[in-house]
Amino acid sequence: MEENCGMEKSRASNKAWAPEKNQNTKTQFDIVYENEEILIINKKAGISVQGGKDVAHPLDKELPLQTGYPVYLVHRLDKETSGLLIVAKSPLAAAKWTKLIERKLVTKEYTAICLGKLSKKEGIIRTTVIQHGNEKSAVTHYNVMEEKELEFEGQTYQISKVHLLLETGRMHQIRIHLSQQGNPILGDDKHGNFKINKIFKKAFKVKNLLLCASKLSFPVNGKNFILQIEEPDYFAF
């Protein structure tokens, strides 16, 4: 870990509620970065970030049982999406980091594997998406990292590994944008190609959404700190 990560172990500011640490949690979360204000989690696919009706074992309820103090959400990842997620240690820190994201001082980058070849190797997708019944502008920057052809039962399938950077942060933005381009993310049954997903599940054991929040850039002590992880093993073809 780089020197400017600001690693701290103090829990002094978290006195409002203190669940006993290391209770019998359903999930142990991988904490990849920590300072006095935030934790960054490498979230596994299949874990909901926020609790609600019929939501079992969400991160915002389970993580405090691991840390021994409450956490406060700063942004979201879809349940099916893996990767880097920022949570705050206090309401004050949550307000600060939410504003940093709104001011675009935190950069969120993703890796996806999608069906087919994109029309250009790099570009900007600018379209509107529907969010809570309203049209919202959405902007995603992308560049193609790798292209492959796969064979199964006499058919050839083209896939692309794509790096994506969010300029806006709409719900399901990347999934919708790639689907609109005719290149749905593999494993996406909501916005993707259900028939193709069944084939890839049978042929290549693709059981998860192939979308990972793989890189974060954010300010620490006046410098830009970059945190990057590898995609999960199931991204390998």
Side-chain angles (χ1 to χ4, degrees):
M1 187 65 68
E2 296 183 34
E3 275 189 359
N4 65 348
C5 67
M7 183 70 75
E8 294 288 343
K9 294 299 180 184
S10 172
R11 308 304 187 202
S13 63
N14 297 290
K15 296 181 179 179
W17 172 58
E20 184 181 346
K21 190 174 181 179
N22 291 327
Q23 290 185 18
N24 185 24
T25 61
K26 294 294 183 181
T27 304
Q28 284 292 309
F29 296 94
D30 182 13
I31 299 171
V32 295
Y33 175 89
E34 179 177 5
N35 65 22
E36 67 279 0
E37 295 180 337
I38 62 169
L39 301 168
I40 299 181
I41 311 301
N42 182 6
K43 186 185 83 69
K44 295 180 180 179
I47 297 173
S48 296
V49 170
Q50 188 170 26
K53 185 179 180 181
D54 299 324
V55 177
H57 312 300
L59 180 144
D60 66 342
K61 301 300 182 186
E62 292 287 315
L63 180 58
L65 301 179
Q66 177 178 328
T67 61
Y69 56 87
V71 298
Y72 304 86
L73 298 177
V74 172
H75 65 116
R76 308 287 192 272
L77 287 179
D78 296 341
K79 177 180 178 180
E80 299 88 353
T81 302
S82 64
L84 298 172
L85 177 80
I86 302 171
V87 298
K89 296 180 177 181
S90 69
L92 187 63
K96 172 185 173 179
W97 282 84
T98 299
K99 288 180 180 178
L100 288 174
I101 291 173
E102 289 174 351
R103 293 167 56 197
K104 304 187 188 306
L105 296 176
V106 177
T107 301
K108 296 180 283 185
E109 301 177 53
Y110 293 74
T111 305
I113 298 180
C114 62
L115 181 67
K117 292 185 177 182
L118 282 82
S119 59
K120 297 180 180 179
K121 298 297 185 185
E122 62 179 68
I124 303 173
I125 304 171
R126 301 178 188 271
T127 68
T128 58
V129 299
I130 304 298
Q131 193 166 50
H132 306 301
N134 299 312
E135 280 196 353
K136 299 285 186 179
S137 62
V139 182
T140 304
H141 300 250
Y142 76 88
N143 68 277
V144 177
M145 303 167 67
E146 187 179 1
E147 296 174 335
K148 281 188 176 182
E149 290 188 349
L150 304 175
E151 300 286 338
F152 179 68
E153 293 184 346
Q155 295 292 321
T156 300
Y157 300 93
Q158 295 179 329
I159 62 171
S160 300
K161 187 175 185 179
V162 186
H163 168 261
L164 304 114
L165 185 150
L166 289 179
E167 185 172 320
T168 55
R170 310 304 184 192
M171 185 183 298
H172 295 185
Q173 177 176 316
I174 291 174
R175 298 164 67 177
I176 294 170
H177 268 175
L178 287 175
S179 183
Q180 288 174 342
Q181 303 303 302
N183 304 104
I185 298 175
L186 294 175
D188 189 350
D189 286 336
K190 184 176 180 64
H191 302 286
N193 187 317
F194 186 75
K195 181 180 178 181
I196 290 293
N197 289 339
K198 285 186 67 176
I199 293 171
F200 270 74
K201 185 175 182 178
K202 177 182 177 182
F204 309 109
K205 312 304 180 187
V206 175
K207 299 178 181 179
N208 298 96
L209 176 71
L210 297 189
L211 177 63
C212 177
S214 53
K215 185 175 179 181
L216 284 173
S217 306
F218 51 94
V220 176
N221 300 327
K223 297 181 180 180
N224 190 48
F225 185 78
I226 297 173
L227 184 64
Q228 188 165 6
I229 58 169
E230 295 292 328
E231 305 89 35
D233 291 343
Y234 53 78
F235 272 62
F237 278 91

